[in-house]
Amino acid sequence: MAGRGRGAVEGEGTTAGVSERLLFAGTAPAEAAPVSLPMPRPAGEILPPDGGAALQPPKSATIDRIRRQFHRASFSAFRQSVVVAATTELDRGIGFLLVPVFLAAGVIFYFSLNTEPDLYRPQAAVALMAVCAAISRSWPKTHLLFMAALLCALGFVAAKVETWRTATPMLGSEIQTRLTGRVVIAEEMANGRVRLTIDLISTAHPTLRYAPDRVRLSARRIPPDTKAGSLVTGYARLLPPTGPVRPESYDFSFDSYFSGIGGSGFFLGDPKAISTTDPAPGASIASAIENARENIADHIRSTVGGPEGEIAAALIVGVRAGIPEDINEAMRRTGIYHISISGLHMALVAGTIMLLLRGAFALFPDFSSRRPVKKYAAAIALVSIAAYLVISGVVVAAERSFIMLAVMLVAVLFDRAALTMRNQAISAIAVILVSPHEVVGPSFQMSFAATAALVGAYAGWADYRADKVRAPPAKRSFLRFLSRKLAVGAGGAAMTSIIAGSATALFAIWHFQRVSPLSLLANLAIMPIVTVVMFLAVASAVMMPFGFDGPFLYLMGKGLTAMIAISAWISQWSPVDAVGLISIQSVLLATIALVIATMATTWLRLAAIPFAVAALLTIPQVRTPDLLISEDANLVAMPIGGGELAINRARSNEFTTDNWKRALKAEAIVPPETFAKDALDIADPVDLPPGSPFYCTGDLCIGRHPSGAIVALAENRESARPACGFADLVVINDATAYNPCRDPRVLVVTKRQLARDGSAAVFFDPQSATARPAIQYAVQKPYRPWREQRRYSREARGLAPHKKPEKSESKPPQPVSSGE
């Protein structure tokens, strides 16, 4: 032990304590020890008899104590930094930006419930959270927690109120009846048929006791003078809204419920017009607007012609039913499908009008220098997009875009920044409160994700440029100046595409199981053309009342021809865009990362990185189904390896098979091989190699999954009984049949069960060939309001389908049913 005074070095200052270098050294040289001055010691400390230095603690104990102090100091500093950053974020208004986030969380929680809640308990929760938030104002942290809970409760109540207010009567079962109704919308489709949206007035033969209020039907031809407001009658087959084509996919009955469409179908002949002079109350204005839209669309189609005319009609008046499906698919594969959606059209219209008006005002410098011409342009643009909202049919995408643009244009009128996250939050709040169900749809999620990412990136870039000292630009030749502007414009367009595409990628994969790998190239090539086309579209709309729109529509058609050609060429070179299923956890984590990255302005935005990494790591944490069954039991698909998908029908529903191909990452469809009745030996399935397609004979089809599981598809119980001896899964396309198999290891799925619970996904156990397969249905019980009609279908009640309509079948059905 060193005594007091040991280690003093001449010429150095004295220190109290131990040298930091010595603390981390293995051994300390005697001459390096610092001078130790007498220090006050506790009374309990014992000194050596010779009055020397007190006993020193071991070095390891001292090092541990210093480390604890270091970690404590580091944690304290980090905590203080977090507090300062959080306070700065609150001062900058992040609390308001999070309002739509918590509202949306409440909406999502409501729609994710398995049972329908009542309205009183959520209202009580709102009142309780409001009282707690008011009481806790003196405790800021607690107050923020109660405010977040209050906003979630408000979102929950808004979704519940919308569901209760909508209350769309839904068709319960397939039925053929003669109907009479008033045409709301008449759309010409690309396949030559006409799609009619009709408000039902009456039904007959049979009379439906619980008929829907509005249906959507297709017809081969309609009377020449049929338009919105006309009365039509005809014999039609009505179908109830369909559910998801597979578990965890989009529910079409959900969309029908909130769109007010209670059923769909087709006329069994050409409908006939009924003359009337008594328009429905309140329908004359809506009919006049719809007829004006159709007249404008017909004029555009006749002037431009071909698919270019259909796209031009979609760009100007939002009528897009006539765009050919191959062009739609090419635009989807290249990532430019958004140009045919009226929400983007409205933004382009507003920007075009603002640019044209400000350019026109610039021609009069005396007036422009004395007047706020920017506000004039914003006001005229606001009126223009309001008119466009009306003329486009007030579709959801246009409604949402109008709210966002209106907030920005009003901000310009009041000398506020237009493109800010605060305006984005205001528009999101408005959409959530007006149409809460849009929150769970792809349109809302992708549009707001892209806009938030672009606004956040623009704000970050503006902050970076503001802090950077820049020298005055050097004089350049006109050619260099023009080339630099073109390069900057191309770079900006590329970054816009990259940012928006990255923000919406996981949402697109979750909803559509597809990506567009060449979207950047397509947007760089096509968006300049679309910009010019929109200039021409606005000019043609302005000149149309005077009859001078022909040249503008002609040039617009040429631009659209170039756009279609470029899109088709890039689509041919695009890799396969199907990417399969991803986990919902990855989407939620990516959403959290996006919220943090776009709304935070301090170093706290770095907190988005772990969430983004976790989102990427959890993408594959989802099990792909081994077999999919449609809700009507007619179609079954099974991946058999090599990118092939075996199905049991030679002619199948194209929409369903396309969705299943993307979900299962299949590239080719393998139809069944058909044999004569009794030509396939019942013992053959055991000898089938794994990965065999479906072999059909008579009323029985048999296939073998790559895992070795055997699947049997039967048309009735009698044909299914022999399959009980060898099959692992038996699907019976008969609502009246019950389980014919006594072996509990055989999974039997009947048409009645699928009618009740929706489409199904089956999972085989690769570890055990004798284990019973697991199954997941798309619909859970008790039913939510948009699925309540499922319980009243004939198949769900175990009844055979109608052979032909008879008068005896017009007996009143059970409640909410539309007929037997």
Side-chain angles (χ1 to χ4, degrees):
M1 296 287 180
R4 285 178 293 183
R6 180 185 173 106
V9 180
E10 187 179 356
E12 294 183 359
T14 59
T15 60
V18 183
S19 171
E20 182 178 352
R21 180 179 298 178
L22 294 180
L23 289 176
F24 295 96
T27 59
E31 63 271 18
V35 176
S36 179
L37 298 179
M39 297 294 292
R41 292 177 172 82
E45 188 173 289
I46 302 176
L47 295 177
D50 58 355
L55 294 174
Q56 299 293 327
K59 288 183 180 180
S60 60
T62 305
I63 293 174
D64 291 341
R65 177 172 57 82
I66 297 298
R67 285 177 176 172
R68 287 195 299 269
Q69 292 176 354
F70 175 77
H71 292 315
R72 191 179 301 113
S74 300
F75 177 76
S76 178
F78 175 76
R79 180 181 179 185
Q80 184 66 23
S81 178
V82 171
V83 171
V84 172
T87 304
T88 303
E89 295 286 2
L90 291 174
D91 292 339
R92 292 177 179 177
I94 195 174
F96 182 78
L97 301 183
L98 291 175
V99 169
V101 176
F102 290 114
L103 287 174
V107 173
I108 294 173
F109 179 67
Y110 167 79
F111 286 117
S112 64
L113 293 177
N114 294 329
T115 59
E116 184 65 20
D118 56 45
L119 186 58
Y120 305 105
R121 279 179 284 189
Q123 290 177 333
V126 169
L128 178 61
M129 291 300 102
V131 171
C132 293
I135 294 175
S136 62
R137 291 180 64 88
S138 301
W139 302 281
K141 296 180 181 179
T142 306
H143 176 70
L144 291 177
L145 292 177
F146 281 123
M147 285 299 299
L150 173 61
L151 292 172
C152 291
L154 285 173
F156 190 98
V157 171
K160 173 63 181 177
V161 170
E162 184 192 27
T163 303
W164 168 76
R165 175 174 51 87
T166 302
T168 300
M170 307 283 277
L171 190 69
S173 182
E174 178 180 340
I175 190 71
Q176 295 181 9
T177 183
R178 176 170 293 279
L179 59 84
T180 302
R182 190 178 304 276
V183 176
V184 179
I185 301 175
E187 301 172 291
E188 294 184 7
M189 303 176 66
N191 58 7
R193 298 179 68 89
V194 181
R195 185 170 62 190
L196 301 175
T197 302
I198 299 175
D199 285 340
L200 288 185
I201 297 176
S202 63
T203 58
H205 307 298
T207 300
L208 306 185
R209 185 176 178 185
Y210 300 98
D213 295 334
R214 178 172 291 185
V215 295
R216 184 172 289 158
L217 304 173
S218 66
R220 290 189 297 271
R221 291 178 300 273
I222 59 174
D225 56 346
T226 302
K227 58 183 180 180
S230 301
L231 289 181
V232 295
T233 184
Y235 206 70
R237 170 173 288 183
L238 298 177
L239 307 172
T242 59
V245 296
R246 56 175 176 79
E248 298 183 354
S249 66
Y250 190 74
D251 191 349
F252 295 95
S253 63
F254 179 87
D255 180 73
S256 296
Y257 181 87
F258 287 100
S259 300
I261 306 296
S264 61
F266 52 90
F267 282 101
L268 297 175
D270 296 338
K272 296 180 175 56
I274 301 177
S275 60
T276 178
T277 58
D278 184 20
S284 57
I285 297 178
S287 299
I289 294 174
E290 182 59 31
N291 289 328
R293 292 179 65 224
E294 287 299 326
N295 292 334
I296 295 173
D298 291 339
H299 172 71
I300 295 171
R301 294 190 191 103
S302 61
T303 304
V304 179
E308 294 85 356
E310 298 293 345
I311 299 177
L315 291 172
I316 296 177
V317 293
V319 178
R320 57 174 308 275
I323 301 178
E325 184 57 30
D326 58 338
I327 295 179
N328 279 330
E329 182 62 21
M331 290 192 291
R332 292 189 189 101
R333 290 177 64 88
T334 53
I336 60 169
Y337 185 71
H338 52 80
I339 70 168
S340 64
I341 301 174
S342 57
L344 176 66
H345 308 162
M346 187 169 292
L348 294 174
V349 167
T352 302
I353 292 176
M354 286 278 291
L355 185 61
L356 291 176
L357 289 177
R358 296 198 68 181
F361 286 136
L363 299 177
F364 306 94
D366 292 340
F367 177 81
S368 301
S369 61
R370 291 182 285 107
R371 298 291 182 180
V373 295
K374 183 178 181 181
K375 294 185 180 181
Y376 293 167
I380 297 175
L382 181 60
V383 175
S384 301
I385 62 173
Y388 178 79
L389 176 66
V390 175
I391 204 67
S392 65
V394 198
V395 296
V396 174
E399 179 183 357
R400 181 181 58 258
S401 184
F402 171 77
I403 294 174
M404 296 176 63
L405 291 170
V407 170
M408 296 179 182
L409 293 174
V410 170
V412 173
L413 296 178
F414 288 92
D415 297 316
R416 301 289 184 181
L419 196 63
T420 64
M421 197 66 70
R422 187 177 183 86
N423 292 344
Q424 165 88 351
I426 293 174
S427 60
I429 292 171
V431 173
I432 292 172
L433 295 180
V434 172
S435 303
H437 75 279
E438 284 296 311
V439 173
V440 297
S443 182
F444 176 93
Q445 296 171 9
M446 297 180 67
S447 63
F448 276 102
T451 306
L454 291 173
V455 172
Y458 173 79
W461 176 249
D463 294 341
Y464 170 77
R465 288 175 60 87
D467 296 337
K468 189 176 182 180
V469 178
R470 289 170 293 172
K475 292 184 178 180
R476 300 183 179 90
S477 64
F478 176 76
L479 184 60
R480 292 186 61 186
F481 172 80
L482 182 61
S483 61
R484 184 177 184 277
K485 289 296 183 182
L486 291 176
V488 170
M495 288 306 301
T496 299
S497 179
I498 291 172
I499 293 171
S502 301
T504 59
L506 286 185
F507 297 103
I509 296 174
W510 168 256
H511 290 287
F512 308 113
Q513 297 81 50
R514 67 191 310 168
V515 293
S516 302
L518 299 183
S519 61
L520 176 59
L521 175 62
N523 279 276
L524 288 176
I526 292 175
M527 288 312 294
I529 299 176
V530 174
T531 303
V532 176
V533 164
M534 287 310 302
F535 274 106
L536 297 171
V538 173
S540 64
V542 173
M543 294 298 177
M544 195 173 294
F546 308 101
F548 300 132
D549 58 320
F552 300 102
L553 290 177
Y554 174 80
L555 295 175
M556 186 179 178
K558 296 302 180 182
L560 292 174
T561 301
M563 186 199 75
I564 293 173
I566 295 173
S567 174
W569 181 78
I570 296 177
S571 176
Q572 292 177 355
W573 291 95
S574 179
V576 177
D577 58 349
V579 293
L581 303 176
I582 62 173
S583 66
I584 185 61
Q585 292 85 357
S586 64
V587 179
L588 295 177
L589 290 170
T591 303
I592 296 173
L594 183 65
V595 169
I596 297 174
T598 57
M599 294 185 179
T601 57
T602 64
W603 66 267
L604 289 179
R605 69 178 59 173
L606 297 177
I609 296 177
F611 288 101
V613 173
L616 295 177
L617 294 177
T618 55
I619 285 178
Q621 293 184 2
V622 59
R623 184 178 177 184
T624 302
D626 295 319
L627 185 136
L628 292 172
I629 311 173
S630 64
E631 66 176 0
D632 59 1
N634 285 326
L635 187 62
V636 176
M638 179 177 63
I640 56 177
E644 294 182 331
L645 186 67
I647 60 175
N648 65 314
R649 300 283 179 180
R651 299 179 60 184
S652 60
N653 184 288
E654 185 176 357
F655 177 83
T656 302
T657 53
D658 286 344
N659 183 284
W660 288 359
K661 283 174 60 179
R662 294 194 303 270
L664 302 176
K665 292 188 292 185
E667 300 178 7
I669 295 293
V670 180
E673 297 186 20
T674 305
F675 297 87
K677 189 175 182 181
D678 299 329
L680 182 64
D681 189 357
I682 204 64
D684 289 343
V686 181
D687 300 327
L688 287 177
S692 298
F694 288 107
Y695 299 99
C696 299
T697 174
D699 293 335
L700 184 66
C701 292
I702 301 170
R704 193 165 194 177
H705 188 264
S707 64
I710 298 177
V711 180
L713 315 175
E715 292 297 322
N716 50 61
R717 185 173 182 270
E718 295 301 323
S719 59
R721 184 180 288 109
C724 295
F726 57 81
D728 299 277
L729 169 67
V730 179
V731 181
I732 306 177
N733 188 17
D734 186 358
T736 63
Y738 55 92
N739 189 349
C741 302
R742 298 182 179 181
D743 190 346
R745 295 173 298 179
V746 179
L747 176 63
V748 178
V749 180
T750 65
K751 189 168 188 173
R752 181 181 185 184
Q753 193 168 9
L754 293 168
R756 291 179 172 181
D757 300 333
S759 58
V762 180
F763 305 89
F764 299 117
D765 189 353
Q767 305 297 329
S768 175
T770 59
R772 179 184 173 92
I775 188 168
Q776 177 187 358
Y777 293 98
V779 178
Q780 295 181 350
K781 291 182 286 189
Y783 296 123
R784 304 297 296 273
W786 50 88
R787 294 169 174 169
E788 188 68 27
Q789 75 281 355
R790 300 188 70 92
R791 70 173 74 246
Y792 303 111
S793 68
R794 292 184 59 85
E795 292 78 8
R797 289 181 286 164
L799 302 177
H802 287 294
K803 294 182 179 181
K804 60 180 180 178
E806 296 178 357
K807 293 184 179 181
S808 60
E809 293 176 339
S810 61
K811 296 179 181 179
Q814 298 181 10
V816 188
S817 173
S818 58
E820 292 189 0

